[in-house]
Structure formats: C-alpha cells, structure tokens
Amino acid sequence: MQFRKTALRVATPVAVLALSLTACGGGDDDADAKPKQSESQSAAEASQSPAEAASGGKLATGESATGKVKEGDAEVTYKITAQKVDIGTEAEAQALVQDKADAKGKVLAVAHVKFTHKAGATLTDSPDANDGTTIWADGQRGALLIGASDDAAGCEDPYDIEGWKQGESHVLCESYLIPANAKSVEVHWSEEDGEPYIWTFPNQ
C-alpha cells in the first residue's frame, strides 16, 4: 500500500476531492484502496486479539492497535485508537466541493484517530502516521476530501505538530464522503503493505 502525502495545503474554502466519485470505492488512481475481504478472512481476523494479530484485524470500540510508520529516516511505533466518526449532512457535504453533484446523496464523515508515540526517534517534520487512515461505509471505501477536517473540533493539524516525542499523543482526522444511507462506518488504519485494523461505528 502506497501512502499518500497531503503536503498541499488547502487555501480555499472548498475541499479537494481526491478521487473519482463514479463509485464509492473510487478508482485505480488512488493507491489507498483496499480489496474487499472475504468472509473467511474477516472471521479469522475477528477471532484474533490485537495482541495476537500479526497485522490487521477487527477491533472493538476503545481498543488500540500498534503499528510502525516510517517518519523521515526513522521508524516510529504508535499506539492507534479510532475514537469516533462525526457524520455531517448532505448540505454540508455539498458546500465542501466545487460541483454539488459530486456530493449528491453523500455526507461528510470525519474520523478522529488518536496516535501515541510509543517508541522511536522524536519527529523533526510533520507526521505521516495518519496517512494509513481510510473511511469505509457498508464495505466500500469513501471518497477522500483533503482539507475538509482542518478546522474540525477536536482535530489537530499535523503541520502544527513539532518535535513529537515518545509519550505524546495527538488526535489526527481524515475526511471522506460516504453514502448518506450507510448503515455502518468503518475506520481502517494500516501499516505500509500491511492489512488494516478496523473499527466499526454505527451511522446514526
């Protein structure tokens, strides 16, 4: 899995729609897409505890995963917990994109993920830890919106984080468009080339 770099700061009030909306799963141009898991794979992952899972698996609300991220020239180990997903309205979603048709029948979903630096060097640049975060709805990946969560309550801007050292925690957010009628929302986080850890939240 290639990780994306969101180095481009959004200077306009309209968020950047980062992938095609022809299908909720997006297209081949976004390397964050994950193949849909078979039922047997999902069952096997669900039977493993976070401590037993070599890479990936389903986690209960409040449970944490541990993963490694290449931060600059060093590898950093994080404890990762998906805390919640804030779901907006279709009108709010349409206000975030240039073409309102892109958000028809969709709502904004903002995943709040807490990262705790457990081991490794102090960061000297903005973190890449959140690059492994994606949002899925009813088994399909949503459409990434770059810049939509920059000012969301409870979300920290990774570009404002300096000198992140062991023991420190930060909440980083990702924003996606998902179908308004989705029954469940999943937050996925994975190491590069790893299987995702999955937290499931009801869409209320």
Side-chain angles (χ1 to χ4, degrees):
M1 171 181 172
Q2 282 184 311
F3 280 20
R4 55 189 156 71
K5 293 285 290 185
T6 55
L8 178 64
R9 301 302 301 273
V10 178
T12 68
V14 178
V16 177
L17 189 61
L19 58 146
S20 170
L21 287 173
T22 54
C24 186
D28 292 337
D29 58 333
D30 192 312
D32 281 336
K34 286 286 186 181
K36 192 172 181 179
Q37 293 176 313
S38 68
E39 291 183 6
S40 61
Q41 287 175 317
S42 297
E45 288 180 354
S47 66
Q48 294 177 313
S49 71
E52 296 170 340
S55 179
K58 291 188 176 182
L59 302 178
T61 302
E63 282 191 294
S64 298
T66 300
K68 296 180 179 179
V69 177
K70 188 72 177 296
E71 299 282 12
D73 295 328
E75 190 173 68
V76 173
T77 299
Y78 292 99
K79 182 173 76 171
I80 307 104
T81 309
Q83 297 179 319
K84 63 177 180 176
V85 179
D86 289 334
I87 306 294
T89 66
E90 185 173 344
E92 290 170 339
Q94 289 183 343
L96 290 168
V97 296
Q98 292 181 330
D99 187 348
K100 294 184 184 301
D102 287 341
K104 184 175 177 57
K106 296 181 172 61
V107 293
L108 177 67
V110 179
H112 296 241
V113 184
K114 181 179 179 180
F115 293 87
T116 301
H117 189 313
K118 300 296 290 183
T122 297
L123 274 62
T124 58
D125 203 348
S126 58
D128 292 332
N130 206 34
D131 288 355
T133 302
T134 55
I135 300 178
W136 294 59
D138 292 345
Q140 291 190 316
R141 186 172 54 87
L144 173 66
L145 279 176
I146 298 174
S149 63
D150 284 355
D151 300 322
C155 299
E156 299 180 62
D157 189 334
Y159 292 93
D160 292 336
I161 299 173
E162 298 180 355
W164 191 349
K165 60 182 181 295
Q166 290 185 30
E168 289 184 352
S169 298
H170 294 280
V171 176
L172 305 177
C173 298
E174 284 290 355
S175 301
Y176 280 72
L177 290 182
I178 63 171
N181 61 355
K183 293 181 174 60
S184 69
V185 179
E186 295 177 347
V187 176
H188 292 203
W189 185 90
S190 60
E191 298 175 311
E192 188 170 3
D193 298 323
E195 291 301 313
Y197 292 99
I198 301 170
W199 295 264
T200 302
F201 300 88
N203 183 13
Q204 299 176 340

